[in-house]
């Protein structure tokens, strides 16, 4: 059979299965029965993107099946056949949605099935920063499980996000591959239709970050081809349905690399039977460049391990976490005096320490990283210090939580058995500091202290005074005290019309980029995403309008956005890309705003979930009354100050409220004298319905109720 014949055979088979599944579901449940995927604001995302149609009930599906069948022309033309591949994707999406009618069909499966909106949003920052340089989709069953596992581990160590479908899931697991979102190796399911959940991720990336308009299929295909660096690897024999699925991937711009002979299409469908070359061929097919820093340690070090959690049953050693004193500090030394690559451990190592409970090593820990360079500045120290958190979490077998003197570190038994010791922490920190900050770090040495008396004495005499100095410096940094703000264009690889303006009192909406971060990044990468915006005279200080800011936004958004205010959510608010941590939106009846974080999946008092709110605000669009932002902004005195500021906050999820309470209370007290303001803010454990929220606010005498109307 020719390639087009194979595609049509598979797409026609899926069309028949889809039509039968829809008819059976309607007969069983009725046309009015709801259908959809969990935790998404985009209905059946592929159909919604392609047609603009919001599938809500089973009765909506027959029309979608009709569209699906119309795409299958059976003409001997590759372009027409690729459209049939898209029809296969639509069919798979419908089949999978019907499987969800009786609950989670993946509850007993090794795969996770549908990937929710919050997960996609959580991946936004690592995708745009390059921590996730590409997306690999693996499908089938390998004749050589050992080499399959090597391929998956290679992708993992290179930082790729890997999705798996089919029996390769068990093959990789049995070969020791660590799986799950925490490891960026995600098993989707065993049925070939499970692969549609990767397609859905790509499509929703365009909806969430790119603000591509539903119904404009050509724009979605252009977006996925140009901005989603994905490819497909198939293992083992492939049938007509797999070929049709592959055609859908090719239509999206994702090349398919098979390990068996296939009819080749240059740049789109190719054979690579040599598994030792699979990774190289795949990366080249999407022009994915990988920057690998070789580090002399006995375990893998990669961004893919960043989410690993070390549980008690797998833990060998523990530091800090309120169990032992622990701290970390990056400070600038004398270039002439520092000894580059000097790693010193002063005190017992983890194999020298006593087992406190007969099982676990617990030690005090002080990590002193001294750096020097001709371009190094004191303001950069905190930027480098915060990277310790990420660099430590890149270690396979390590977990790092917190910062400064609140750190909590765990190491696994597996890492210990492979030979990992404290000196290797120093090796990782040295290598990453030198590689990632090579523009400013010419020398780096690391000293690790584990004697309790050393850790406590050095903290009091050297470390704590530096923390205090920095806190004083940061508290003095205000929007008024600096001459420059900074742009942040990191997210433009996914949201081309979005521009962040970073100020001392307004972090990037992702929560990951502070003003000092942006300043340091400019020094490290002079032509990079963070460029200075000289403030000049404000046009309107209350709203936060500067001519220079408007010019920077208009230029960098290619004219899509012409003006923004930095302190208002009602008048030309700043745009959002999609990877924001929180959304604030007005609740007119309470004369204030609610704030919802992406981890909260329930409906908010404004009648929408986080995902539904995000669908209105993401992708670089301005939505007056709603704005994406980071957690740290809750506590800034500039938070929507044009509308009355922090006192307007009337509702937050309890987890978020507890997280921000200390800095929120401090800021409100300094501005208004109100004590414990967070206690006046409602949460879901108190009320969600509007009337009940208002009753609570009235009982607390919430200041928003007495303020001028917000609208």
């Amino acid at each position: 059979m020719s390639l087009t014949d194979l595609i049509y055979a598979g797409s026609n088979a899926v069309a028949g299965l889809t039509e039968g599944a829809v008819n059976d579901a309607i007969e069983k449940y009725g046309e009015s029965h709801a259908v959809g995927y969990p935790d998404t604001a985009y209905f059946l995302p592929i159909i919604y993107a392609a047609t603009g149609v919001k599938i809500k009930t089973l009765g909506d599906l027959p029309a979608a099946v009709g569209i699906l069948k119309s795409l299958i022309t059976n003409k001997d033309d590759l372009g027409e056949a690729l459209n049939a591949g898209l029809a296969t994707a639509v069919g798979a999406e419908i089949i999978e949605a019907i499987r969800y009618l009786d609950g989670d069909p993946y509850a007993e499966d090794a795969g996770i099935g549908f990937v929710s909106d919050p997960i996609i949003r959580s991946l936004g920052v690592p995708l745009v920063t390059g921590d996730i340089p590409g997306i690999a989709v693996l499908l089938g069953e390998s004749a050589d499980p050992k080499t399959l596992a090597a391929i998956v581990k290679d992708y993992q160590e290179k930082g790729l996000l890997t999705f798996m479908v089919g029996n390769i899931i068990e093959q990789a697991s049995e070969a020791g591959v660590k799986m799950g979102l925490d490891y960026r190796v995600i098993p989707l399911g065993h049925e070939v239709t499970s692969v549609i959940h990767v397609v859905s991720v790509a499509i929703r990336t365009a909806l969430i970050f790119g603000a591509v308009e539903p119904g404009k299929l050509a724009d979605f295909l252009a977006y996925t081809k140009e901005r989603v660096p994905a490819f497909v690897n198939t293992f083992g024999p492939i049938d007509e349905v797999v070929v049709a699925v592959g055609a859908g991937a090719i239509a999206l711009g994702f090349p398919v690399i098979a390990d068996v002979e296939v009819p080749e299409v240059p740049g789109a469908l190719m054979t690579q039977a040599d598994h030792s070359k699979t990774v190289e061929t795949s990366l080249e097919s999407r022009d994915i460049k990988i920057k690998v820093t070789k580090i002399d340690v006995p375990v893998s070090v990669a961004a893919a391990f960043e989410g690993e959690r070390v549980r008690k049953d797998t833990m060998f050693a523990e530091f800090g976490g309120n169990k032992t004193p622990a701290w970390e500090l990056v400070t600038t030394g004398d270039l002439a005096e520092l000894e580059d690559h000097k790693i010193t451990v002063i005190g017992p190592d983890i194999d020298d320490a006593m087992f406190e409970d007969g099982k676990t090593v617990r030690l005090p820990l002080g990590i002193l990283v001294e750096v020097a360079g001709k371009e190094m500045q004191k303001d950069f120290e905190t930027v480098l210090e915060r990277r310790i958190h990420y660099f430590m979490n890149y270690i396979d077998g390590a977990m790092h939580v917190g910062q400064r003197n609140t750190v909590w570190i765990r190491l696994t038994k597996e890492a210990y058995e492979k030979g990992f010791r404290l000196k290797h922490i120093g090796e990782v920190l040295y290598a990453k500091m030198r590689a990632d900050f090579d523009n400013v770090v010419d020398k780096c040495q690391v000293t690790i202290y584990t004697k309790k008396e050393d850790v406590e004495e050095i903290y009091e005499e050297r470390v704590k005074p530096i923390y205090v100095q920095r806190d004083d410096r940061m508290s003095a940094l205000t929007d008024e005290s600096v001459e420059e703000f900074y742009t942040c264009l990191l997210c433009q690889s996914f949201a081309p019309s979005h521009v962040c303006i970073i100020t001392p009192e307004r972090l990037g909406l992702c929560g990951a980029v502070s003003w000092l971060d942006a300043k340091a990044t400019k020094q490290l990468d002079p032509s990079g995403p963070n460029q200075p915006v000289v403030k000049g005279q404000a046009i309107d200080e209350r709203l936060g309008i500067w001519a220079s800011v408007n010019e920077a936004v208009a230029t960098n958004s290619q004219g899509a956005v012409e003006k923004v205010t930095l302190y208002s959510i009602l008048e030309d608010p700043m745009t959002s890309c999609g990877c924001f941590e929180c959304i604030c939106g007005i609740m007119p009846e309470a004369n204030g705003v609610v704030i919802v974080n992406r981890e909260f999946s329930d409906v908010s008092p404004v009648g929408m979930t986080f995902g539904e709110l995000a669908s209105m605000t993401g992708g670089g669009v301005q939505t007056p009354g709603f704005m994406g932002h980071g957690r740290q902004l809750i506590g800034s005195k500039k938070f929507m100050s044009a509308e009355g500021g922090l006192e307007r906050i009337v509702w937050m999820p309890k987890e978020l409220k507890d997280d921000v309470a200390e800095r929120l209370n401090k800021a409100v007290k300094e501005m208004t004298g109100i004590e414990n303001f967070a206690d006046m803010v409602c949460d879901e454990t108190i009320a969600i319905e509007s009337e009940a929220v208002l009753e609570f606010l009235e009982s607390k005498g919430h200041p928003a109720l007495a303020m001028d109307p917000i609208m």
Side-chain angles (χ1 to χ4, degrees):
M1 296 175 72
S2 68
L3 176 59
T4 54
D5 287 340
L6 285 169
I7 294 171
Y8 285 128
S11 57
N12 279 304
V14 171
L17 290 172
T18 305
E19 188 168 31
V22 169
N23 291 337
D24 290 346
I26 290 174
E27 183 177 349
K28 180 178 180 180
Y29 297 101
E31 290 188 347
S32 62
H33 193 85
V35 64
Y37 287 109
D39 215 355
T40 182
Y42 301 102
F43 313 97
L44 269 59
I46 297 169
I47 295 173
Y48 180 54
T51 66
V53 174
K54 301 175 180 179
I55 301 293
K56 296 181 179 179
T57 68
L58 290 174
D60 298 328
L61 288 176
V65 173
I67 294 172
L68 177 165
K69 293 166 74 173
S70 71
L71 291 171
I72 307 172
T73 64
N74 296 305
K75 292 180 181 178
D76 188 16
D77 175 84
L78 183 58
E80 295 276 345
L82 293 181
N83 284 338
L86 293 174
T88 305
V90 171
E93 179 173 60
I94 293 172
I95 290 171
E96 285 289 302
I98 288 173
R99 291 183 64 199
Y100 274 88
L101 292 176
D102 291 318
D104 183 1
Y106 292 90
E108 305 298 324
D109 196 298
I112 69 167
F114 185 76
V115 181
S116 68
D117 290 358
I119 290 177
I120 297 174
R121 294 180 189 281
S122 72
L123 295 171
V125 172
L127 280 167
V128 301
T129 60
D131 278 349
I132 298 177
I135 299 172
V137 184
L138 278 57
L139 173 68
E141 181 174 7
S142 177
D144 187 352
K146 186 176 180 181
T147 59
L148 165 72
I151 289 168
V152 178
K153 288 179 180 179
D154 198 355
Y155 287 143
Q156 193 174 43
E157 291 181 2
K158 286 179 167 61
L160 274 76
L161 180 63
T162 302
F163 292 97
M164 306 181 74
V165 176
N167 290 334
I168 56 171
I169 295 173
E170 279 71 30
Q171 290 182 311
S173 178
E174 290 168 5
V177 174
K178 294 181 178 179
M179 295 188 188
L181 184 62
D182 289 349
Y183 299 101
R184 295 185 185 167
V185 176
I186 303 175
L188 290 176
H190 290 81
E191 300 295 331
V192 69
T193 50
S194 299
V195 77
I196 200 60
H197 300 307
V198 185
V199 178
S200 177
V201 168
I203 290 296
R204 278 179 290 149
T205 298
L207 286 163
I208 291 170
F209 301 107
V212 180
E213 186 178 338
K216 294 186 175 181
L217 177 59
D219 291 352
F220 279 96
L221 298 182
Y223 184 98
T224 55
K225 181 178 181 179
E226 295 167 8
R227 299 184 182 276
V228 183
F231 57 83
V232 179
N233 293 156
T234 67
F235 295 88
I238 53 179
D239 58 24
E240 293 91 343
V241 172
V242 173
V243 172
V245 168
I250 292 169
L252 291 166
F254 307 157
V256 178
I257 298 93
D259 68 351
V260 297
E261 289 295 326
V262 292
E264 297 207 14
V265 177
L269 178 61
M270 59 203 81
T271 297
Q272 180 50 269
D274 184 349
H275 285 166
S276 68
K277 297 180 180 178
T278 298
V279 173
E280 179 185 359
T281 302
S282 301
L283 296 179
E284 288 177 353
S285 73
R286 288 312 305 264
D287 195 29
I288 296 171
K289 308 295 185 184
I290 305 292
K291 180 183 177 182
V292 178
T293 304
K294 291 295 183 183
I295 305 175
D296 186 19
V297 295
V299 297
S300 297
V301 180
F305 300 108
E306 184 182 343
E308 181 179 9
R309 291 292 175 264
V310 178
R311 312 294 180 188
K312 283 186 178 180
D313 58 336
T314 64
M315 178 177 64
F316 180 83
E318 185 173 33
F319 314 87
N322 294 321
K323 296 179 177 67
T324 66
W327 50 262
E328 56 196 21
L329 178 74
V330 172
T331 188
T332 306
D334 189 301
L335 186 60
E337 294 180 2
L338 285 193
E339 181 181 337
D340 190 43
H341 203 172
K342 181 182 179 182
I343 312 294
T344 308
V345 177
I346 298 176
D349 208 325
I350 53 177
D351 47 4
D352 301 324
M354 295 294 292
F355 285 76
E356 187 173 292
D357 57 3
K359 298 179 181 179
T360 304
V361 173
R362 286 193 176 90
L363 282 171
L365 187 70
I367 300 176
L368 176 63
V369 180
E370 296 172 281
V371 297
K374 294 177 182 178
E375 303 297 327
M376 183 64 194
Q377 299 179 26
K378 294 290 288 184
D379 277 348
F380 298 166
E381 290 176 352
T382 55
V383 177
L384 274 62
E385 190 172 290
R386 280 199 297 276
R387 296 302 295 176
I388 291 176
H389 171 75
Y390 297 96
F391 298 158
M392 288 281 289
N393 280 320
Y394 290 173
I395 301 169
D396 182 12
M399 181 187 81
H400 182 286
V401 178
Q403 60 180 324
R404 302 215 310 189
N405 62 334
T406 62
V407 294
W408 178 28
I409 299 168
R410 283 180 168 181
L411 302 175
T412 63
K413 297 171 186 174
E414 181 184 2
Y416 173 78
E417 290 164 0
K418 288 181 178 179
F420 191 86
R421 299 296 183 267
L422 291 179
K423 68 176 182 179
H424 295 122
I425 291 176
E427 291 289 353
V428 170
L429 296 180
Y430 167 80
K432 295 299 289 181
M433 290 291 177
R434 294 286 273 116
D436 288 19
F437 299 103
D438 58 327
N439 283 13
V440 296
V441 177
D442 299 327
K443 287 184 178 181
C444 175
Q445 66 181 39
V446 181
T447 307
I448 297 173
Y449 301 92
T450 61
K451 293 181 181 178
K452 187 172 187 287
E453 57 270 27
D454 289 344
V455 172
E456 292 179 340
E457 181 180 341
I458 295 169
Y459 175 74
E460 290 296 332
E461 294 182 358
R462 183 175 183 182
V463 178
K464 185 177 179 180
I466 292 175
Y467 288 166
V468 171
Q469 289 173 5
R470 289 176 179 173
D471 289 343
D472 290 343
R473 162 88 167 113
M474 285 302 299
S475 63
L477 271 179
T478 64
D479 289 2
E480 290 78 17
S481 70
V482 299
E483 298 300 321
E484 296 176 334
F485 297 153
Y486 287 89
T487 62
C488 185
L489 308 179
L490 272 174
C491 294
Q492 284 204 340
S493 57
F494 285 92
S497 62
H498 170 61
V499 181
C500 252
I501 299 295
I502 310 294
T503 82
E505 297 181 83
R506 196 184 200 286
L507 280 72
L509 59 86
C510 63
V513 183
S514 71
W515 184 83
L516 285 176
D517 291 328
K519 180 182 178 182
T521 300
K522 167 61 179 174
Q523 182 79 25
L524 295 165
D525 185 3
S527 60
N530 300 123
Q531 296 298 317
V533 179
V534 179
K535 286 165 47 182
Q537 185 67 37
I539 295 173
D540 189 317
E541 292 183 355
R542 184 183 70 86
L543 292 171
I545 302 175
W546 281 266
S548 58
V549 169
N550 286 340
E551 181 181 351
V553 168
T555 299
N556 288 292
S557 69
Q558 294 78 47
V561 180
E562 295 183 349
K563 55 184 179 178
V564 298
T565 64
L566 300 187
Y567 309 142
S568 173
I569 68 166
L570 289 174
E571 298 186 45
D572 301 317
M574 193 181 297
T575 60
S576 305
C577 61
C579 51
F580 37 75
E581 295 179 306
C582 307
I583 299 174
C584 66
I586 58 171
M587 183 178 177
E589 64 271 35
N591 205 33
V593 297
V594 304
I595 301 178
V596 188
N597 56 302
R598 66 181 174 217
E599 293 82 6
F600 185 75
S601 59
D602 293 338
V603 174
S604 69
V606 295
M608 290 181 278
T609 64
F610 177 91
E612 290 165 341
L613 287 165
S615 68
M616 299 166 49
T617 57
V621 299
Q622 289 178 305
T623 309
F626 299 88
M627 182 181 68
H629 59 86
R631 286 181 177 232
Q632 286 291 333
L633 190 63
I634 310 169
S636 167
K637 295 175 182 178
K638 290 295 193 292
F639 175 78
M640 56 174 290
S641 57
E643 283 82 38
L646 298 170
E647 295 171 82
R648 290 285 191 183
I649 301 172
V650 298
W651 189 94
M652 285 188 281
K654 189 174 191 310
E655 182 275 325
L656 177 64
K657 185 170 77 170
D658 291 345
D659 180 51
V660 303
E662 183 177 349
R663 61 180 178 272
L664 176 61
N665 287 339
K666 182 175 183 291
V668 172
K669 182 179 179 181
E670 289 176 356
M671 291 189 297
T672 69
I674 296 174
E675 298 269 6
N676 300 316
F677 174 73
D679 292 342
M680 297 181 170
V681 178
C682 192
D683 63 58
E684 80 282 8
T685 68
I686 301 167
I688 293 179
E689 295 298 327
S690 177
E691 289 186 8
V693 171
L694 282 172
E695 287 179 9
F696 172 81
L697 299 177
E698 289 167 356
S699 72
K700 292 291 184 178
H702 194 291
L705 300 178
M707 297 172 76
D708 291 338
I710 193 169
M711 292 182 67

